[in-house]
Amino acid sequence: ENPQLKIIEQYTELYERTASMFHYFLLETPQGKSALEYITSRGISLETIKKFKLGFAPIDRKWLKNFLLKKNFSNEFLLNSGLFSKKYSDVAFFSNRLMFPIFDRRGQCVAFGGRILHPKGDEDRKYLNSRELPHYSKKDILYAFNFAKDSIRLLKSAIICEGYMDCIAYHQCGIKNAVATCGTALTENHLKVLKNFADTILLSFDSDGAGQ
């Protein structure tokens, strides 16, 4: 058996499990309440929250490591998982953020984007994104492609958005051929993925500097 494939499977299982926990925190716990209020105030429905498996990363940065060790993931495996600080291995990379699982084309969670809810200053980045991992390459993966691919194939066109929220809003409105880049610029690989399905590609970027 291919050892690289086995590692990718293990990472995917880890991320799927973590996404489920974040989703539970958002919908079922008092901690997730302000994140849930924020996302619903942006007009996102409960049905859409469930479809995109949005979540909340708890404020307690030590919680995740303890939870995953109990689920029989080894300490060594977790060190390289991208879910923890490189400097402090017990400290979760994401905390107190609204979480967007990033899915591969089969619909399995392979990475996360996390949006801050209450920035305290310029040092708080609005979005944090998972780093590159054996099973996740930002230049290849388009957010929501797993949901959009049938529609893209049918309509022969794709809309590329700049952010997760814009993309989710399109889907909620019934425009299901929308995808987004994952905290990176649009790459040649993204276009290659879409070219197999679409003749027309529309860019729906913000008019700020990054969008330009």
Side-chain angles (χ1 to χ4, degrees):
E1 199 185 350
N2 184 335
Q4 182 70 4
L5 271 181
K6 192 157 174 51
I7 286 174
I8 287 171
E9 266 170 38
Q10 287 171 331
Y11 274 128
T12 306
E13 188 200 335
L14 171 69
Y15 272 74
E16 280 278 286
R17 194 171 280 247
T18 306
S20 295
M21 278 317 297
F22 288 158
H23 189 56
Y24 172 79
F25 269 108
L26 180 70
L27 292 181
E28 308 292 344
T29 70
Q31 293 193 52
K33 200 165 173 257
S34 69
L36 188 58
E37 280 168 1
Y38 167 78
I39 192 103
T40 45
S41 77
R42 295 278 307 258
I44 302 298
S45 70
L46 198 58
E47 188 188 354
T48 302
I49 289 170
K50 287 178 177 170
K51 177 181 173 177
F52 284 87
K53 212 171 179 179
L54 303 185
F56 176 71
I59 294 166
D60 174 6
R61 283 183 178 267
K62 298 283 175 79
W63 169 84
L64 185 62
K65 186 72 167 279
N66 294 329
F67 168 75
L68 292 171
L69 288 172
K70 282 182 195 141
K71 297 292 176 200
N72 297 324
F73 290 103
S74 74
N75 201 25
E76 189 189 9
F77 179 68
L78 293 175
L79 273 180
N80 301 314
S81 68
L83 291 173
F84 299 93
S85 153
K86 279 186 167 172
K87 219 184 202 171
Y88 308 106
S89 63
D90 291 340
V91 171
F93 182 67
F94 296 102
S95 90
N96 200 18
R97 284 176 183 263
L98 178 63
M99 299 300 290
F100 297 84
I102 295 162
F103 304 103
D104 63 15
R105 56 173 67 196
R106 294 173 305 171
Q108 290 182 300
C109 177
V110 290
F112 290 104
R115 188 192 197 285
I116 200 157
L117 294 164
H118 310 290
K120 291 188 178 65
D122 292 344
E123 78 280 0
D124 283 338
R125 281 164 57 191
K126 186 172 160 187
Y127 277 96
L128 276 182
N129 292 289
S130 292
R131 56 184 165 88
E132 298 275 310
L133 291 158
H135 67 297
Y136 171 61
S137 164
K138 290 177 191 183
K139 69 180 189 306
D140 297 327
I141 287 194
L142 284 160
Y143 180 69
F145 183 69
N146 56 309
F147 296 120
K149 61 179 190 281
D150 291 345
S151 190
I152 291 171
R153 193 185 274 127
L154 193 70
L155 298 167
K156 291 263 183 279
S157 75
I159 299 166
I160 305 175
C161 317
E162 205 174 323
Y164 310 124
M165 286 293 280
D166 292 351
C167 183
I168 289 171
Y170 270 118
H171 279 261
Q172 187 168 284
C173 295
I175 301 167
K176 299 218 161 85
N177 60 334
V179 293
T181 53
C182 299
T184 75
L186 184 59
T187 67
E188 206 173 308
N189 288 33
H190 291 143
L191 295 173
K192 276 182 190 154
V193 169
L194 292 173
K195 221 175 75 173
N196 295 328
F197 298 87
D199 301 330
T200 308
I201 294 172
L202 306 166
L203 299 181
S204 174
F205 287 170
D206 301 341
S207 56
D208 60 11
Q212 296 296 337

